[in-house]
Amino acid sequence: QVQVVESGGGLVQAGGSLRLSCVASGSIFSIDNMGWYRQAPGKEREWVAVITSGGSTGYADSVKGRFTISRDNAKNTVYLQMNSLKPEDTAVYSCYTVSHGVDYWGQGTQVTVSS
């Protein structure tokens, strides 16, 4: 069984920063990609960022230059450093990990950016 748990969400003022963390644990080995999606109220889920096992990264245009994804392979952990936050970044942020072609998802963590 695999568990994926996010943390680090909260309420922040526009222009502020937050760092999200996501840990994958349990019967999971050789993690490939790790990444983040987000979903705002009344909107479709939006892909945010991805990092491969080799450290290559990709970002949605809406967060490029403001968000940074990183990972600690020894800890099966992925991070999302979010700077210069905007009210439109308000959403539930969910982490995913991919291992042997199977996606594992966390429950999500709420990020609220006030104007």
Side-chain angles (χ1 to χ4, degrees):
Q1 195 169 1
V2 176
Q3 297 83 40
V4 178
V5 179
E6 304 96 337
S7 61
L11 173 64
V12 64
Q13 288 188 334
S17 299
L18 281 175
R19 188 192 194 206
L20 305 183
S21 300
C22 171
V23 181
S25 62
S27 302
I28 187 168
F29 306 96
S30 185
I31 295 176
D32 301 314
N33 292 355
M34 304 182 81
W36 296 88
Y37 275 79
R38 68 185 181 184
Q39 187 164 22
K43 295 188 176 181
E44 293 188 354
R45 188 175 66 177
E46 175 190 21
W47 171 74
V48 176
V50 66
I51 184 166
T52 70
S53 58
S56 297
T57 60
Y59 298 92
D61 287 343
S62 58
V63 307
K64 199 172 294 183
R66 300 188 297 121
F67 291 9
T68 302
I69 190 170
S70 61
R71 65 190 282 173
D72 184 334
N73 291 330
K75 296 180 179 179
N76 287 348
T77 300
V78 62
Y79 306 97
L80 187 67
Q81 177 67 44
M82 306 185 294
N83 299 328
S84 302
L85 283 161
K86 305 174 181 180
E88 51 264 44
D89 293 318
T90 295
V92 174
Y93 285 71
S94 298
C95 164
Y96 70 94
T97 67
V98 183
S99 177
H100 296 289
V102 179
D103 295 350
Y104 300 94
W105 289 85
Q107 292 296 313
T109 185
Q110 176 70 45
V111 171
T112 303
V113 184
S114 63
S115 58

